């Protein structure tokens, strides 16, 4: 029970603003379990988005305004953790074709034009797509589930066989920590849950989000030699945007 509790604390403490006790041990095995638990750890965030959507509907707010408030709540609930990774990833991949230079830019933590543009465009896409989802009968519930499912992207990025770009940094502990069969099982579970709440469109959304994340990981491996913590954060934001866009169609 101890190792599993450590993994749960690591997932919740890293991915949400919910206060938890720090894990006693953080190693590759704990990190891998934490990535598999990420969708469950995000349940408070999903519930927050769903509640915002439902309350907005009951108060008669427009779907667009409700979507803005829901995304704002999600950003606050995750401490903008993944958005920071998205910005750094965009800056790193556009700054130079030199691997070392790109990694230095990503590590600097400052946001350049590419990073700002990426955050604005991805957040805008999320808001617009979420507004369309919220206009449907059970849109608030679908939105909450999709927030949780977007965190499946983390297991994809941490699957064994996906190399790390550097030996240090936040992502180094997580790289290669998830077994491929565990990742496959998580993706199948995500597709099943998506089908239960959104029908066939939910399965298509999961497949599309998986494809987008795989393309990002492939690009990271080609340009940087592997993934970093920033790449993992970017994958979550892109996965959520893709899930919402497909679900809104």
């Amino acid at each position: 029970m101890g190792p599993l509790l450590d993994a749960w604390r690591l997932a919740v403490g890293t991915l949400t603003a919910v206060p938890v006790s720090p894990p006693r041990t953080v190693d590759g095995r704990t990190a891998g379990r934490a990535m598999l638990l990420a969708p469950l750890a995000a349940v408070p965030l999903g519930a927050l988005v769903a509640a915002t959507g439902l309350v907005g509907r009951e108060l008669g707010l427009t779907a667009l305004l409700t979507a803005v408030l829901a995304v704002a709540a999600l950003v606050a609930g995750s401490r903008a953790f993944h958005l920071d990774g998205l910005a750094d990833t965009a800056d790193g991949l556009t700054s130079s074709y030199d691997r070392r230079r790109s990694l230095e830019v990503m590590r600097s933590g400052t946001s350049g034009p590419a990073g700002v543009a990426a955050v604005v465009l991805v957040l805008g896409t999320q808001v617009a797509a979420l507004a369309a989802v919220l206009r449907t009968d059970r849109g608030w519930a679908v939105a909450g589930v999709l927030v949780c499912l977007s965190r499946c992207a983390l297991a994809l990025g941490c699957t064994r066989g996906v190399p790390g770009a550097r030996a240090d940094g936040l992502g180094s502990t997580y790289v290669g920590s998830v077994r491929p069969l565990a990742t496959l099982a998580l993706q199948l579970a995500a597709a099943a849950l998506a089908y239960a709440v959104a029908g066939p469109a939910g399965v298509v959304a999961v497949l599309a989000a998986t494809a987008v994340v795989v393309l990002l990981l492939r690009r990271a491996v080609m340009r940087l030699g592997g993934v970093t913590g920033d790449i993992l954060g970017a994958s979550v934001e892109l996965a959520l945007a893709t899930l919402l866009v497909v679900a809104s169609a």
Side-chain angles (χ1 to χ4, degrees):
M1 187 63 182
L4 188 59
L5 182 59
D6 279 343
W8 176 252
R9 288 173 174 171
L10 181 60
V12 174
T14 303
L15 304 177
T16 75
V18 177
V20 293
S21 301
R24 295 182 178 179
T25 303
V26 179
D27 52 20
R29 189 174 184 181
T30 303
R33 289 174 172 174
M35 295 300 94
L36 292 172
L37 290 172
L40 290 178
V43 166
L45 302 180
L48 183 61
V49 169
T52 303
L54 183 59
V55 171
R57 173 177 293 185
E58 294 300 317
L59 293 177
L61 302 180
T62 65
L64 181 58
L65 176 57
T66 303
V68 170
L69 295 175
V71 171
L74 178 59
V75 170
S78 62
R79 296 172 298 186
F81 188 54
H82 307 305
L83 286 175
D84 179 68
L86 174 64
D88 288 343
T89 296
D91 284 331
L93 292 179
T94 59
S95 62
S96 170
Y97 281 103
D98 180 74
R99 172 182 176 273
R100 183 175 298 177
R101 172 59 180 162
S102 294
L103 290 173
E104 288 176 355
V105 169
M106 294 172 68
R107 175 172 280 178
S108 69
T110 58
S111 294
V116 173
V119 170
V120 170
L121 291 172
V122 172
L123 283 179
T125 300
Q126 291 177 359
V127 167
L130 178 56
V133 171
L134 291 177
R135 292 188 184 99
T136 62
D137 291 338
R138 295 189 303 160
W140 57 274
V142 172
V145 171
L146 293 184
V147 167
C148 297
L149 295 185
S150 68
R151 273 55 184 173
C152 292
L154 295 170
L156 282 169
C158 296
T159 300
R160 191 172 300 169
V162 180
R166 52 188 175 221
D168 58 349
L170 178 61
S172 59
T173 305
Y174 299 87
V175 171
S177 61
V178 180
R179 296 180 180 179
L181 285 179
T183 299
L184 177 59
L186 182 63
Q187 292 299 116
L188 291 175
L193 180 57
Y195 180 82
V197 298
V203 178
V204 175
V206 170
L207 292 175
T210 301
V212 168
V213 172
V214 169
L215 288 174
L216 173 63
L217 297 177
R218 182 174 181 272
R219 182 62 175 168
V221 172
M222 292 178 61
R223 283 278 284 103
L224 307 173
V227 298
T228 66
D230 289 326
I231 298 293
L232 297 179
S235 70
V236 170
E237 295 296 343
L238 292 177
L240 178 58
T242 304
L243 288 167
L244 291 171
V245 166
V246 176
S248 69

